[in-house]
């Protein structure tokens, strides 16, 4: 069951079908959403509805209030460490970091959701009930802040009598919200489809031979052949050492946390997608992206753009009916 804030109806530009854009969760991976939006503009398509979760709500909201260029410029200035300077460390409200200073930097762009040129909604989760909450009224910035309040890391956000946290714990790619807001066609951007698993603990497939220790070199070989064999043996030795190190390694704290969160969101997104499937499912491969990889904006933006352009003809065909 969802706790909905009903959005008053209003006229939208006439299209054969109403297009909904779903921007999913993903922390720093969310810069891929900027690429998706740029690609939509490139092919001359503007959605009637935007539904976002976590960083998806943040990027989608920034776009709709006209602050995406400034948001992108800010993102490009961040590094994994400098990003922390935008926040206040204050253990309170169930989290370590107060995100209000970062969001207040964009206060000049803030609008009420009801004033936006298209319908917009953000997903959060209610700490008091565990219910999914659809934020479809009031401040865009506050809706995005609530939707992206990562549990334990960021402070929970109070909205009325509720304390809200990141919507990724309930609905990482809210196709159901886009449908509720009136979307006939839904393009969903899922940044968690390819999780950051710890591949080094994945055992080799049956039948794959193990590396063997190279044999001694016959000293009667010409020097060039001897040198080539020595270099090859050295490379194999390094590979064996790496393989042995990986086999003996144990999962580390933070990498285990990253992998567990990715795996959880992958399965939750799949389940929600089965219940409310999108028409177009974009899954840029972001598995090598850490949550704090803010300094890779160019790379992630291009991944998002490429994922949308790849589905260009399908999207245009669906819109035309």
């Amino acid at each position: 069951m969802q706790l909905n804030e009903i959005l008053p109806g209003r006229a939208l530009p006439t299209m054969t079908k109403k297009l909904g854009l779903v921007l999913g969760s993903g922390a720093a991976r969310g810069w891929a959403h900027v690429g998706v939006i740029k690609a939509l503009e490139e092919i001359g398509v503007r959605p009637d509805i935007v539904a976002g979760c976590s960083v998806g709500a943040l990027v989608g909201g920034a776009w709709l209030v006209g602050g995406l260029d400034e948001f992108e410029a800010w993102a490009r200035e961040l590094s994994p460490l400098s990003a922390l300077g935008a926040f206040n460390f204050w253990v309170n409200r169930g989290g370590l970091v107060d995100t209000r200073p970062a969001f207040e930097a964009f206060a000049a762009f803030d609008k009420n959701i009801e004033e936006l040129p298209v319908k917009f909604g953000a997903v959060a989760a209610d700490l008091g009930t565990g219910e999914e909450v659809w934020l479809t009224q009031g401040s865009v910035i506050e809706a995005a802040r609530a939707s992206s309040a990562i549990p334990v890391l960021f402070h929970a956000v109070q909205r009325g009598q509720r304390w809200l946290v990141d919507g990724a714990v309930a609905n990482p790619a809210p196709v159901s919200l886009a449908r509720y807001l009136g979307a006939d066609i839904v393009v969903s951007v899922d940044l968690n489809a390819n999780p950051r698993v710890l591949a080094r603990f994945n055992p080799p497939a049956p039948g794959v031979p193990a590396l063997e220790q190279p044999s001694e070199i016959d000293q009667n070989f010409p020097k060039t052949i001897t040198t080539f064999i020595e270099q090859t043996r050295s490379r194999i030795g390094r590979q064996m050492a790496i393989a042995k190190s990986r086999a003996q390694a144990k999962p580390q704290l933070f990498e285990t946390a990253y992998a567990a969160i990715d795996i959880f969101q992958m399965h939750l997104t799949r389940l929600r997608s089965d219940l409310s499937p999108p028409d177009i499912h974009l899954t840029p491969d972001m598995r090598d992206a850490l949550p704090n990889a803010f300094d890779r904006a160019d790379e992630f933006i291009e991944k998002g753009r490429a994922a949308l352009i790849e589905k260009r003809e399908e999207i245009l065909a669906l819109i035309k009916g």
Side-chain angles (χ1 to χ4, degrees), residues 196-261:
R196 186 183 175 84
V197 295
L198 305 184
R200 70 177 183 277
F201 298 114
N202 187 18
V208 176
L211 291 174
E212 297 181 358
Q213 183 66 37
S215 59
E216 293 296 323
I217 301 175
D218 188 334
Q219 297 302 318
N220 294 321
F221 286 153
K223 183 174 178 57
T224 54
I225 296 179
T226 302
T227 301
F228 173 76
I229 294 174
E230 285 282 6
Q231 293 173 345
T232 302
R233 184 166 65 177
S234 177
R235 286 195 296 271
I236 293 175
R238 287 196 298 270
Q239 292 174 3
M240 292 176 64
I242 292 172
K244 182 178 180 180
S245 175
R246 288 178 172 175
Q248 295 177 346
K250 298 178 181 179
Q252 302 302 308
L253 174 63
F254 289 109
E255 68 174 1
T256 300
Y258 295 152
I261 292 170

Side-chain angles (χ1 to χ4, degrees), residues 15-287:
M15 291 180 62
T16 304
K17 293 184 178 180
K18 292 180 180 178
L19 176 65
L21 175 64
V22 172
L23 303 176
S25 62
R29 297 173 180 177
W31 306 145
H33 293 321
V34 176
V36 169
I37 290 169
K38 288 181 177 292
L40 283 174
E41 293 176 340
E42 185 178 328
I43 67 175
V45 172
R46 186 175 180 88
D48 301 277
I49 292 139
V50 175
C53 177
S54 198
V55 71
L58 178 57
V59 174
W63 178 42
L64 294 178
V65 298
L68 186 61
D69 289 343
E70 288 75 10
F71 178 80
E72 182 182 344
W74 175 74
R76 290 178 181 278
E77 294 175 357
L78 294 177
S79 69
L81 292 179
S82 71
L84 299 178
F87 307 121
N88 282 343
F89 285 88
W90 179 31
V91 180
N92 194 10
R93 300 183 180 183
L96 299 173
V97 179
D98 182 5
T99 59
R100 283 179 295 183
F103 282 90
E104 287 171 357
F106 297 93
F109 292 97
D110 197 15
K111 296 178 181 178
N112 283 333
I113 294 173
E114 299 91 327
E115 300 172 359
L116 296 177
V118 304
K119 288 186 176 182
F120 174 73
V123 173
D126 189 332
L127 277 178
T129 66
E131 299 286 354
E132 175 183 346
V133 179
W134 291 346
L135 305 174
T136 58
Q137 294 178 334
S139 163
V140 172
I141 286 180
E142 284 303 298
R145 190 164 75 91
S147 183
S148 57
I150 301 172
V152 181
L153 179 60
F154 294 155
H155 290 185
V157 174
Q158 187 173 20
R159 189 177 176 96
Q161 299 300 311
R162 302 174 187 158
W163 285 97
L164 304 179
V165 293
D166 197 322
V169 303
N171 196 351
V175 175
S176 54
L177 173 54
R179 299 287 189 197
Y180 169 79
L181 292 173
D184 301 305
I185 302 163
V186 174
V187 175
S188 177
V189 187
D190 178 6
L191 303 180
N192 303 301
N194 302 289
R196 186 183 175 84
V197 295
L198 305 184
R200 70 177 183 277
F201 298 114
N202 187 18
V208 176
L211 291 174
E212 297 181 358
Q213 183 66 37
S215 59
E216 293 296 323
I217 301 175
D218 188 334
Q219 297 302 318
N220 294 321
F221 286 153
K223 183 174 178 57
T224 54
I225 296 179
T226 302
T227 301
F228 173 76
I229 294 174
E230 285 282 6
Q231 293 173 345
T232 302
R233 184 166 65 177
S234 177
R235 286 195 296 271
I236 293 175
R238 287 196 298 270
Q239 292 174 3
M240 292 176 64
I242 292 172
K244 182 178 180 180
S245 175
R246 288 178 172 175
Q248 295 177 346
K250 298 178 181 179
Q252 302 302 308
L253 174 63
F254 289 109
E255 68 174 1
T256 300
Y258 295 152
I261 292 170
D262 265 17
I263 292 168
F264 162 76
Q265 290 195 81
M266 175 191 69
H267 286 290
L268 181 56
T269 303
R270 285 179 181 176
L271 176 61
R272 297 304 301 257
S273 182
D274 287 342
L275 295 173
S276 184
D279 298 283
I280 302 290
H281 191 201
L282 304 184
T283 58
D285 191 343
M286 311 295 291
R287 77 185 71 195

